[in-house]
Amino acid sequence: MMKHYDEYIIQLIQLYLVGDLSGEEKVKLEEWVSQDPSHEKLFKEICDEKNVAHDFGIYENVNKDSAWEKVILKGNIKQKHNTRRLGWYKFVAAVMIPLLVVAAGYFIRETKPGAEQKGTELASIEPGKSKAILRLADNRVIEITREQETRFDVAEGIAATNNSLGMVYPEQVATGKTEYNVLEVPRGGEYTVTLSDGTVVYLNSGSELRYPVAFGTERRDVFLSGEGYFEVAKDVKRPFFVNADKLKIRVYGTSFNVNTYNLANVETVLVEGKIGIQETNSDIEYSVMPGQLALYNREKGTMEIQDVDVRPYVAWKEHEFMFDNESLEEIMNTLSLWYDVDVFFQTASLKQLHFTGHLGRYEEVSHILDAISGVTQVKFAVKGRTIIVME
């Protein structure tokens, strides 16, 4: 959103509002205003004190003295001594300093649709589909979908198959140099890969898996970023390790889910079998049993093991959303990855609302949002590929 209103223009508007705009700056501001009707509308509405105070709702929530100091610093503005005017300048500071809020607030008002428009626009945002990018050791990059029936030379003497099951590597053991492939699943995508040992990995949107085209004779290592569900083939002679962020997960033939999306925590949920988890630079291994969640706090470096209902954590693999008293912020983060959209909250307090529901992952986004709106009373609007959450 901010790309339409760069900081220089915002500063010119700041200077205009405090009456400190030079002749040259005035010409540049007038040129920008006349370039597009949306520029003129934004300028007029920012200059309307009542609209700004009502629609942005930030005058009372911003430290006005601090904000005013930043305006002085950025705009090289000289303070006036008129007390009444100074109060207005500080109001301008409170409104203009959060640059994103100004542009986003305008963006919201421009995109509040009527009921008919809302349904049409939201429905146009399609759910994700099976698609991925395969990166080979020789730097080749191949876009793949499950509709393709193709074979790729993924390394010297090794050909993998791409079909309705996803990428499938031939079963074999590497005897020479280990070569790696990377399967990258973009936002709005999902994909499945069967590794050379028979292990199946389901990758969620915005995820990446680095793996050898054939495992060696001693151990099996893969590297995950994002979210993946693993069904690991048993092989007592070759332990299987998932390296995710700062964690090393040792697998003893099992089914489990690893999620590194959250900036604060890495979540590992065990469905079947047994796994041991340890930090990369630690000898302490935590055992996780079926029906347990291992929650690793990145900042604190702590591990917490909890008994949980595993279904909400792995429902995505079965093409479902299961939200169990999740915050709206967490839910919208999930939807943004699958539907490949950006999300903007009109007020931060909306992020803390909670919702419980069981919904189809391949539903139109309008059905998902209508269900959430019916329970939480929030409203949704859309502009392009941005969903706006409003009171």
Side-chain angles (χ1 to χ4, degrees):
M1 290 178 287
M2 267 310 299
K3 63 184 178 182
H4 300 298
Y5 314 109
D6 61 38
E7 187 166 351
Y8 176 65
I9 294 299
I10 296 294
Q11 289 179 347
L12 290 183
I13 298 175
Q14 289 175 352
L15 295 172
Y16 172 84
L17 288 170
V18 297
D20 202 20
L21 199 65
S22 69
E24 182 181 352
E25 289 167 338
K26 182 179 179 182
V27 170
K28 290 182 178 179
L29 179 58
E30 289 175 346
E31 288 177 352
W32 179 83
V33 169
S34 63
Q35 281 176 359
D36 191 286
S38 67
H39 294 180
E40 181 179 8
K41 186 172 183 179
L42 173 63
F43 178 69
K44 287 181 178 179
E45 294 194 3
I46 286 177
C47 293
D48 184 338
E49 176 182 357
K50 291 182 180 179
N51 280 350
V52 172
H54 177 268
D55 289 336
F56 298 125
I58 61 174
Y59 178 57
E60 294 301 330
N61 297 324
V62 177
N63 184 323
K64 293 178 281 295
D65 290 325
S66 173
W68 172 238
E69 289 172 4
K70 291 177 184 177
V71 171
I72 294 172
L73 191 62
K74 280 191 173 187
N76 192 26
I77 299 171
K78 296 179 180 179
Q79 295 194 54
K80 315 294 195 253
H81 295 292
N82 184 301
T83 304
R84 185 175 179 182
R85 289 288 289 172
L86 183 57
W88 167 237
Y89 299 156
K90 290 185 178 181
F91 170 76
V92 172
V95 172
M96 299 305 295
I97 280 297
L99 303 177
L100 181 59
V101 175
V102 174
Y106 171 73
F107 180 84
I108 288 170
R109 290 200 308 278
E110 279 294 280
T111 55
K112 284 183 181 176
E116 183 177 345
Q117 180 188 15
K118 172 186 171 184
T120 302
E121 292 202 26
L122 289 175
S124 68
I125 298 177
E126 299 293 331
K129 61 183 180 179
S130 291
K131 60 181 179 180
I133 298 170
L134 181 64
R135 302 183 185 276
L136 306 179
D138 61 4
N139 295 321
R140 281 184 294 154
V141 178
I142 305 170
E143 294 186 8
I144 55 177
T145 68
R146 289 195 182 189
E147 285 73 32
Q148 296 172 323
E149 290 277 353
T150 49
R151 286 175 62 83
F152 301 110
D153 292 326
V154 292
E156 186 175 352
I158 301 178
T161 302
N162 182 67
N163 55 32
S164 60
L165 299 176
M167 281 296 300
V168 180
Y169 285 74
E171 291 193 22
Q172 60 182 31
V173 178
T175 55
K177 179 184 176 183
T178 301
E179 288 195 36
Y180 284 83
N181 284 179
V182 175
L183 193 63
E184 180 184 328
V185 180
R187 286 162 56 101
E190 62 179 0
Y191 223 74
T192 304
V193 57
T194 302
L195 304 179
S196 65
D197 66 335
T199 291
V200 181
V201 186
Y202 303 81
L203 293 173
N204 206 347
S205 306
S207 301
E208 181 178 295
L209 185 73
R210 181 173 176 264
Y211 52 92
V213 295
F215 292 109
T217 57
E218 296 183 356
R219 57 187 286 157
R220 299 169 289 168
D221 272 279
V222 299
F223 302 83
L224 173 72
S225 173
E227 184 170 24
Y229 182 90
F230 293 78
E231 295 176 349
V232 177
K234 291 185 178 180
D235 187 337
V236 294
K237 295 181 179 179
R238 295 186 299 169
F240 193 102
F241 294 92
V242 177
N243 300 272
D245 200 65
K246 297 178 181 179
L247 298 180
K248 183 179 290 289
I249 303 168
R250 181 173 179 137
V251 183
Y252 299 90
T254 194
S255 300
F256 64 101
N257 194 83
V258 183
N259 184 343
T260 72
Y261 290 141
N262 194 297
L263 294 176
N265 303 303
V266 177
E267 298 177 346
T268 305
V269 171
L270 181 59
V271 177
E272 180 182 352
K274 180 183 176 183
I275 58 177
I277 304 180
Q278 63 187 76
E279 288 187 85
T280 305
N281 300 319
S282 173
D283 295 327
I284 302 174
E285 183 176 281
Y286 298 86
S287 293
V288 182
M289 298 301 171
Q292 290 187 330
L293 162 69
L295 195 64
Y296 174 73
N297 186 296
R298 283 188 171 101
E299 183 179 348
K300 298 178 181 178
T302 56
M303 186 78 71
E304 182 180 353
I305 310 296
Q306 306 172 2
D307 292 327
V308 296
D309 177 359
V310 300
R311 291 176 301 169
Y313 296 90
V314 301
W316 68 270
K317 185 182 80 72
E318 305 300 330
H319 312 306
E320 296 176 344
F321 292 119
M322 286 187 69
F323 300 124
D324 184 12
N325 196 33
E326 284 193 42
S327 72
L328 198 53
E329 181 177 26
E330 293 170 328
I331 291 171
M332 296 310 295
N333 284 342
T334 298
L335 297 181
S336 72
L337 283 170
W338 179 236
Y339 289 93
D340 188 18
V341 295
D342 295 319
V343 177
F344 177 81
F345 285 85
Q346 186 178 18
T347 57
S349 61
L350 294 175
K351 297 179 180 181
Q352 304 309 315
L353 296 174
H354 284 68
F355 173 80
T356 295
H358 187 175
L359 306 163
R361 186 169 155 96
Y362 277 89
E363 295 278 358
E364 292 181 350
V365 73
S366 58
H367 296 166
I368 306 288
L369 299 181
D370 284 347
I372 296 172
S373 181
V375 173
T376 63
Q377 303 304 308
V378 299
K379 298 177 182 177
F380 296 97
V382 68
K383 179 71 173 181
R385 300 203 68 83
T386 298
I387 294 175
I388 303 147
V389 188
M390 304 174 295
E391 293 183 277

